[in-house]
DNA sequence: GGACGGTGAAACTTCAGGTTGCCTC
DNA sequence: GAAGTTTCACCGTCC
């Protein structure tokens, strides 16, 4: 069936979106970069009459402590019933956009793959503009499964009889290619996640930690029954991989061979494998053993190093979990080497030499550390965007992982009886959570006091809970507003009874 | 002649997402 | 690979 739509802008994607609005329906536009999502939404919005979505706009602009240019651009699009959606948005904003699309306030969302999977957000039309995305080998086709996810958004079961999934061909010659490679293609086979070494390491340790497996023979037997082994086929090579990882775990002190139960003459493979106390905790924390090893080594180095925020942040930035890291640009290299120079004797990781392959990756940990340090120096989202090209959503995601790794570091310290740095780690976690300098930490113990209010109090010379208690309520009302001030006074009152808020942080 | 401003070509840069981990009584 | 951004040489204009 061939349908004609009005040519308004000359860009088929915009025209399709406008047509969707004209017929009173909704559409999702899938593109391959965050920037494209933003541009595309803005271009569509240019052709749409102003609506007023005041409440939604207000929500978007107040999601962050201070609205960024990105917030303002999104808000402007939203006044036209159009939005963009990608992982760079703050979670609150994403949710607002999703809800507004569901209730019909928004007509068009231009999005990246954030929208493709796992979200209940159907639309009448699904417009897939890009089937290629930047990958290891330049621009590559996206997986067929991902195309299915995007196309599958079209049609609202129970509400409409059909939906339309539309793929844009950028050239005449592409039409057949798209039909063959996507529309009529079988989705690619599913591969076992166990083939990824960090996952394999984690499960190998946990199987022993939970006594599911007690020796090497059982270990191999267990894995040979998995989907991974079925796909892999070559059992000998699989066995070698398992043994190599097991040896690493023994080297790192997470597993041990139990010699007590070893009866001479017994098959070596039946030698009992036990988890150490450290290994047990790592498994409970669901840490990748490689990350745990890095943290353990870091704790060991910490004994002979001046440990600062830089030390702790750079250590966790070296963990795989925090990837992708921020890479210094060619022009920035000197700047970050200089920054590193200031902190060289605080390092808890091994610095590779300039000529080693890892050096670039190492410098990326330094830049990422610099970003986190700026965050706890109260630099706002706009500054992070300009300086590091990292958007609020991406920053929050990194912060969440950083928090988890710092917690894990603290816990490993407990097992290793090396808790000297735990108070610093705890303080750092609070600072990362709020994005504040050290001086605000005491005030943040109160509910309803975050970065902004703590700063306001501090700037008014109220710098501790003690000082807060002595402050004239009228002054508090002036600084915080009536309601919040009342709440704080109540919290301070109840604190006297159970002394929940101690001053020792 | 020098300070600007405009222009366009060349060089450079960037490019999706976000599992489930823990605990704080 | 493509699109956007930055840099820089070059030219014209004005004072």
């Amino acid at each position: 069936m061939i349908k004609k739509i009005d040519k308004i802008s000359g860009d088929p994607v915009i025209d399709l979106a406008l047509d969707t609005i004209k017929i009173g329906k909704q559409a999702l536009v899938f593109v391959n970069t965050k920037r494209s999502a933003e541009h595309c939404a803005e271009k569509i919005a240019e052709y749409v009459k102003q609506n007023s979505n005041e409440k939604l706009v207000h929500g978007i602009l107040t999601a962050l402590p201070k609205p960024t240019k990105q917030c303002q651009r999104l808000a402007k699009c939203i006044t036209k019933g159009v939005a963009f959606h990608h992982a760079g948005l703050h979670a609150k904003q994403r949710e607002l956009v999703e809800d507004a699309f569901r209730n019909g306030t928004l007509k068009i969302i231009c999005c990246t793959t954030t929208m493709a999977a796992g979200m209940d957000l159907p639309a009448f039309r699904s417009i897939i503009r890009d089937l290629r995305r930047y990958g290891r080998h330049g621009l590559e086709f996206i997986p067929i499964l991902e195309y299915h996810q995007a196309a599958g958004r079209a049609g609202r079961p129970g509400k409409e009889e059909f939906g339309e999934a539309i793929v844009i061909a950028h050239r005449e010659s592409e039409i057949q290619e798209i039909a063959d490679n996507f529309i009529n293609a079988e989705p690619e086979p599913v591969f076992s996640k166990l083939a990824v070494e960090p996952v394999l390491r984690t499960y190998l340790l946990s199987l022993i930690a939970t006594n599911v497996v007690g020796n090497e023979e059982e270990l191999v037997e267990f894995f040979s029954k998995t989907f991974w082994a079925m796909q892999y086929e070559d059992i000998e090579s699989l066995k070698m991989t398992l043994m190599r990882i097991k040896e690493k775990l023994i080297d790192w002190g997470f597993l041990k061979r139990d010699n007590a139960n070893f009866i001479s003459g017994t098959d070596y493979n039946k030698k009992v494998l036990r988890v150490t106390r450290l290994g047990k905790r790592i498994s409970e924390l669901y840490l990748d053993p490689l990350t745990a090893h890095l943290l353990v080594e870091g704790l060991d180095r910490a004994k002979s190093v001046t440990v600062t925020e830089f030390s702790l942040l750079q250590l966790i930035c070296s963990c795989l979990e925090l990837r992708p890291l921020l890479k210094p640009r060619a022009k920035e290299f000197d700047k970050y080497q200089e920054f590193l120079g200031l902190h060289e004797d605080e390092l808890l990781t091994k610095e590779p030499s300039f000529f080693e392959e890892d050096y670039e990756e190492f410098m990326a940990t330094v830049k990422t550390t610099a970003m986190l340090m700026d965050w706890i120096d109260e630099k706002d989202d706009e500054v992070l965007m300009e300086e590091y090209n990292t958007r609020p959503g991406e920053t929050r995601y990194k912060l969440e992982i950083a928090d988890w790794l710092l917690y894990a570091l603290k816990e490993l310290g407990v097992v290793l009886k090396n808790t000297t740095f735990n108070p610093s780690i705890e303080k750092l976690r609070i600072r990362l959570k709020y994005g504040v300098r050290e001086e605000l930490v005491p005030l943040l113990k109160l509910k309803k006091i975050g970065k902004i209010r703590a700063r306001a109090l501090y700037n008014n010379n109220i710098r501790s809970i003690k000082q807060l208690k002595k402050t004239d309520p009228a002054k508090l009302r002036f600084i915080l507003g009536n309601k919040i001030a009342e709440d704080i006074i109540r919290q301070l009152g109840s604190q006297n009874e159970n002394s929940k808020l101690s001053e020792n942080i």
Side-chain angles (χ1 to χ4, degrees):
Chain A
M1 180 178 69
I2 293 181
K3 243 189 199 176
K4 285 216 162 173
I5 58 158
D6 298 338
K7 256 192 171 174
I8 296 171
S9 69
D11 179 333
V13 175
I14 299 176
D15 290 348
L16 271 167
L18 296 175
D19 180 71
T20 314
I21 297 174
K22 191 175 125 192
I23 60 174
K25 309 261 185 189
Q26 291 175 297
L28 296 172
V29 181
F30 289 93
V31 298
N32 63 0
T33 66
K34 300 187 191 93
R35 189 151 60 184
S36 289
E38 295 174 9
H39 280 194
C40 189
E42 285 177 321
K43 278 203 292 190
I44 295 168
E46 277 176 28
Y47 294 89
V48 185
K49 262 195 268 162
Q50 185 100 9
N51 253 312
S52 105
N53 297 321
E54 261 174 55
K55 211 177 152 194
L56 181 58
V57 166
H58 180 259
I60 295 293
L61 291 177
T62 53
L64 296 174
K66 199 170 144 199
T68 62
K69 288 195 191 90
Q70 179 180 262
C71 302
Q72 277 151 5
R73 290 169 65 196
L74 178 59
K76 197 174 166 200
C77 288
I78 281 177
T79 61
K80 310 283 191 86
V82 182
F84 51 84
H85 186 289
H86 54 59
L89 294 186
H90 191 282
K92 280 188 214 160
Q93 294 173 327
R94 287 214 296 263
E95 210 183 312
L96 284 169
V97 168
E98 289 154 23
D99 290 345
F101 192 78
R102 257 181 230 117
N103 71 28
T105 311
L106 293 177
K107 302 299 175 199
I108 310 286
I109 299 181
C110 299
C111 56
T112 55
T113 43
T114 24
M115 219 50 136
M119 202 177 283
D120 176 29
L121 208 72
F124 172 69
R125 262 184 198 152
S126 181
I127 303 165
I128 301 158
R129 193 194 73 174
D130 302 322
L131 283 172
R132 284 175 229 262
R133 194 191 313 134
Y134 177 83
R136 271 189 202 162
H137 314 286
L139 233 46
E140 295 169 359
F141 274 130
I142 60 170
I144 299 165
L145 272 172
E146 208 175 296
Y147 157 77
H148 279 175
Q149 286 284 357
R153 300 287 121 193
R156 304 194 302 154
K159 292 188 179 162
E160 276 160 354
E161 285 187 8
F162 67 99
E164 297 177 355
I166 302 166
V167 185
I168 307 290
H170 297 267
R171 284 178 296 280
E172 190 80 25
S173 61
E174 246 184 26
I175 297 175
Q176 195 55 48
E177 198 180 9
I178 291 172
D180 294 346
N181 290 340
F182 289 95
I183 299 170
N184 302 320
E186 284 290 318
E188 42 281 282
V190 174
F191 282 97
S192 167
K193 280 254 185 184
L194 275 181
V196 187
E197 212 158 288
V199 179
L200 192 55
R201 283 194 290 256
T202 308
Y203 283 104
L204 201 157
L205 179 64
S206 79
L207 284 170
I208 297 168
T210 51
N211 295 322
V212 172
V213 155
N215 58 44
E216 292 174 13
E217 197 182 327
E218 286 173 18
L219 185 70
V220 174
E221 201 195 322
F222 182 93
F223 278 104
S224 66
K225 288 182 192 154
T226 60
F227 178 51
W228 171 56
M230 202 192 82
Q231 262 183 340
Y232 207 79
E233 286 178 348
D234 182 354
I235 290 291
E236 272 314 302
S237 148
L238 180 145
K239 198 170 158 185
M240 273 166 63
T241 307
L242 287 173
M243 289 304 118
R244 180 171 51 81
I245 294 177
K246 178 215 66 186
E247 284 303 320
K248 266 263 136 62
L249 296 181
I250 293 173
D251 275 358
W252 291 341
F254 306 160
L255 290 181
K256 59 183 175 199
R257 291 196 187 85
D258 196 340
N259 289 323
N261 292 324
F262 181 55
I263 307 150
S264 78
T266 330
D267 187 353
Y268 177 78
N269 290 338
K270 292 207 170 140
K271 207 171 193 179
V272 175
L273 284 170
R274 288 208 194 286
V275 69
T276 61
R277 205 166 146 239
L278 181 61
K280 174 100 178 143
R281 191 69 186 117
I282 289 164
S283 179
E284 285 166 355
L285 290 164
Y286 279 81
L287 275 180
D288 172 3
L290 180 66
T291 295
H293 174 62
L294 207 72
L295 296 181
V296 168
E297 278 199 317
L299 280 171
D300 194 46
R301 278 211 181 82
K303 291 173 188 163
S304 51
V305 162
T306 322
V307 175
T308 61
E309 290 120 44
F310 175 89
S311 319
L312 297 169
L313 292 175
Q314 197 275 334
L315 175 62
I316 56 167
C317 283
S318 309
C319 300
L320 291 179
E321 286 81 350
L322 227 61
R323 287 198 202 175
L325 298 170
L326 309 174
K327 280 192 197 148
R329 295 177 208 168
K331 269 187 298 180
E332 295 175 333
F333 226 80
D334 288 348
K335 177 176 148 188
Y336 287 109
Q337 273 188 318
E338 212 170 287
F339 174 69
L340 173 65
L342 297 173
H343 299 284
E344 210 129 37
D345 34 1
E346 302 165 21
L347 277 173
L348 297 180
T349 61
K350 195 171 153 279
E351 179 181 353
S353 92
F354 186 79
F355 305 101
E356 274 176 77
E357 214 183 313
D358 309 347
Y359 195 72
E360 223 172 289
E361 183 75 13
F362 173 76
M363 285 311 291
T365 69
V366 173
K367 181 172 176 182
T368 311
T369 303
M371 187 273 280
L372 293 174
M373 284 179 74
D374 270 348
W375 170 252
I376 58 173
D377 191 38
E378 297 181 31
K379 299 281 191 303
D380 62 33
D381 288 289
E382 194 66 53
V383 175
L384 296 191
M385 177 71 210
E386 270 165 32
E387 188 67 31
Y388 301 99
N389 193 22
T390 156
R391 298 170 168 83
E394 296 155 327
T395 313
R396 299 306 184 284
Y397 181 65
K398 284 220 165 16
L399 289 172
E400 197 185 312
I401 294 174
D403 179 64
W404 167 54
L405 289 173
L406 283 172
Y407 173 76
L409 181 64
K410 194 180 98 174
E411 288 298 299
L412 296 184
V414 173
V415 178
L416 294 166
K417 299 197 168 60
N418 182 359
T419 53
T420 327
F421 312 106
N422 285 7
S424 323
I425 294 174
E426 233 0 80
K427 194 187 285 174
L428 186 54
R429 284 181 72 202
I430 296 174
R431 292 183 59 195
L432 280 176
K433 184 177 168 195
Y434 291 97
V436 296
R437 293 188 198 145
E438 189 169 357
E439 62 212 32
L440 296 190
V441 172
L443 296 168
L444 292 166
K445 291 180 152 193
L446 290 161
K447 280 182 191 156
K448 298 206 177 167
I449 297 290
K451 175 179 186 163
I452 303 287
R453 290 174 186 148
R455 181 45 69 198
L457 289 170
Y458 191 89
N459 290 346
N460 278 283
N461 281 320
I462 305 167
R463 302 186 170 178
S464 64
I465 300 286
K466 220 181 201 171
Q467 284 176 318
L468 197 54
K469 278 185 196 163
K470 284 187 205 155
T471 308
D472 178 11
K475 188 176 176 188
L476 270 190
R477 281 192 204 99
F478 177 74
I479 302 170
L480 301 172
N482 280 339
K483 270 203 160 168
I484 303 289
E486 298 285 313
D487 198 307
I488 299 305
I489 292 164
R490 223 186 31 247
Q491 284 185 57
L492 290 171
S494 67
Q495 185 231 332
N496 284 336
E497 291 144 35
N498 56 21
S499 74
K500 185 179 154 194
L501 305 158
S502 62
E503 289 258 355
N504 54 8
I505 278 198

